[in-house]
Amino acid sequence: MIAFPPQPYCHLSQVTVVGAGNVGSTLAQRILERNLANVVLVDIVEDRPQGIALDLMQSRGCEGHNRTITGTNTYADTADSDIVVITAGLPRRPGMSRDDLTQVNGKIVMETVQRALDYSPHACIIVVTNPLDVMTYLAWTVSGLPSYRVMGMAGVLDSARFQTFIAMELGVPPRDVSAMVLGGHGDLMVPLPKYSTISGIPVNELLSQERLQALIERTRNGGAEIVQLLKQGGAYYAPASSTCLMVEAILHNQSRILPVAAYLEGQYGIQDLFLGVPCRLGLKGVEQVLELSLTEGEQAALSRSASSVKEQVQRCLQDLSV
Ligand code: APR
């Protein structure tokens, strides 16, 4: 028997993913297979997270990693997580208005954030549940955390979609394309061609205004196009990849500049709202909100998006008596 010397204390990162649906389980897989952290997957449905966890544990040998995943219905099992990702929610059903969905998911987000924070009071929160910007505001409100510890995942996904469509149009690899989309995660998002480049070349030098506009429209419609094709449920591969990028930036203290739904206190003329803007992400969470110079038209589009999100937040806070 070989005696191994005692190991010095080494903190193994742990990420809690709340919601073992399509986005949550795909995100768990990405986190494990990129060797970023151990994962605790929580869901309200009994046995589902346990089944997904067992399946993912059994793939470890083939995938060549030694990370662990626990599936559970009990928040005590999530204790001491570094990051809590909220993907729990219900999809919109026929006959349900947007406001109905906001109320239903609002209750779920408030409950799950509170229960997770009972066991991981210092965690960073990443919200994925839609309507994203409203849910992120609610999560922050009930969390009692400093605003830089709470953020929403939308800008990375919207920018990834814009990046994809530009790359497909030009026949270049997506990694050569850097795209930027600001604003709320909805029809009023604000893709910014001025800050979108191909290997440093501004996108409007390689694409006509007409083609660019078509790609912007497709980006705005990016989620709906997939819903229409799938018939049931929404996108989950790209949402999981986008969230995983944020998890990595935080855990590895990368200081990456990514567009995320962050709390604004006057930046871009917007007060007391979570909205998609470029941020520096690191161990602390949102370490800096970057203010880009915008044209009058871009600023007006961002303000329109902000007003729409603000109205939704106010209605939601009122409906839920928060
Ligand atoms: N606590 C824990 N889990 C819950 C709760 C709750 N109170 N309520 C619902 N859930 C779980 C469901 O049981 C389900 O497993 O949330 C999961 C949601 O999964 P899906 O319906 O597959 O939805 P998904 O496609 O993963 O999307 C999740 O992300 O991108 C957004 O719009 C999307 O809001 C949606 C969220």
Side-chain angles (χ1 to χ4, degrees):
M1 180 88 163
I2 303 168
F4 289 102
Q7 295 296 306
Y9 173 73
C10 165
H11 175 71
L12 278 178
S13 303
Q14 177 176 289
V15 175
T16 284
V17 179
V18 185
N22 284 336
V23 175
S25 54
T26 311
L27 171 64
Q29 179 189 3
R30 299 241 195 280
I31 293 172
L32 296 171
E33 291 176 3
R34 285 203 201 163
N35 204 17
L36 293 178
N38 294 335
V39 174
V40 184
L41 186 63
V42 199
D43 202 284
I44 198 167
V45 177
E46 281 183 20
D47 293 341
R48 181 175 168 79
Q50 290 84 344
I52 291 168
L54 187 57
D55 197 4
L56 282 168
M57 284 297 278
Q58 291 167 359
S59 70
R60 295 188 308 161
C62 300
E63 293 299 333
H65 70 83
N66 196 28
R67 291 293 183 173
T68 62
I69 173 163
T70 308
T72 183
N73 310 107
T74 309
Y75 281 83
D77 294 334
T78 68
D80 298 326
S81 292
D82 302 282
I83 299 180
V84 172
V85 183
I86 306 291
T87 76
L90 296 186
R92 193 161 149 199
R93 302 222 171 84
M96 214 182 197
S97 72
R98 269 178 203 274
D99 281 348
D100 292 342
L101 178 73
T102 306
Q103 271 196 49
V104 172
N105 281 352
K107 281 185 194 149
I108 294 174
V109 167
M110 288 193 325
E111 181 212 313
T112 53
V113 165
Q114 278 165 334
R115 295 186 68 188
L117 284 182
D118 283 346
Y119 294 95
S120 304
H122 304 297
C124 224
I125 309 271
I126 302 177
V127 179
V128 182
T129 305
N130 275 315
L132 192 274
D133 309 275
V134 185
M135 294 301 117
T136 310
Y137 192 97
L138 268 189
W140 170 63
T141 306
V142 297
S143 72
L145 289 171
S147 57
Y148 56 82
R149 298 294 284 167
V150 182
M151 66 200 85
M153 188 292 292
V156 178
L157 173 61
D158 296 329
S159 302
R161 287 179 171 151
F162 195 27
Q163 174 195 50
T164 302
F165 297 139
I166 294 170
M168 282 161 61
E169 179 81 11
L170 292 171
V172 298
R175 67 173 183 181
D176 282 358
V177 180
S178 175
M180 179 66 77
V181 178
L182 305 189
H185 185 48
D187 312 339
L188 295 179
M189 69 178 74
V190 188
L192 291 182
K194 189 168 78 180
Y195 292 104
S196 302
T197 57
I198 301 105
S199 297
I201 305 163
V203 69
N204 31 22
E205 293 203 10
L206 299 185
L207 281 174
S208 68
Q209 275 312 307
E210 197 190 7
R211 284 311 301 151
L212 197 50
Q213 202 47 46
L215 303 187
I216 287 175
E217 280 317 309
R218 194 167 180 198
T219 301
R220 286 210 176 98
N221 204 32
E225 188 178 351
I226 292 173
V227 168
Q228 231 168 10
L229 290 168
L230 293 180
K231 314 284 188 286
Q232 257 188 341
Y236 53 99
Y237 290 114
S241 298
S242 307
T243 313
C244 194
L245 217 64
M246 292 168 67
V247 167
E248 184 180 37
I250 296 168
L251 289 180
H252 289 182
N253 199 18
Q254 285 175 328
S255 275
R256 282 199 73 178
I257 310 291
L258 297 171
V260 306
Y263 188 68
L264 299 180
E265 301 167 281
Q267 298 96 332
Y268 298 95
I270 299 164
Q271 278 286 356
D272 187 30
L273 204 64
F274 280 82
L275 204 69
V277 288
C279 296
R280 186 187 296 274
L281 283 199
L283 261 185
K284 197 175 142 197
V286 173
E287 299 190 335
Q288 187 188 4
V289 171
L290 282 89
E291 269 192 278
L292 307 177
S293 68
L294 301 180
T295 63
E296 249 175 59
E298 290 163 346
Q299 180 61 51
L302 191 63
S303 304
R304 261 200 309 280
S305 180
S307 304
S308 155
V309 172
K310 187 133 219 163
E311 270 176 35
Q312 291 175 59
V313 168
Q314 279 164 350
R315 272 206 308 277
C316 178
L317 292 176
Q318 207 172 17
D319 289 345
L320 294 175
S321 316
V322 178

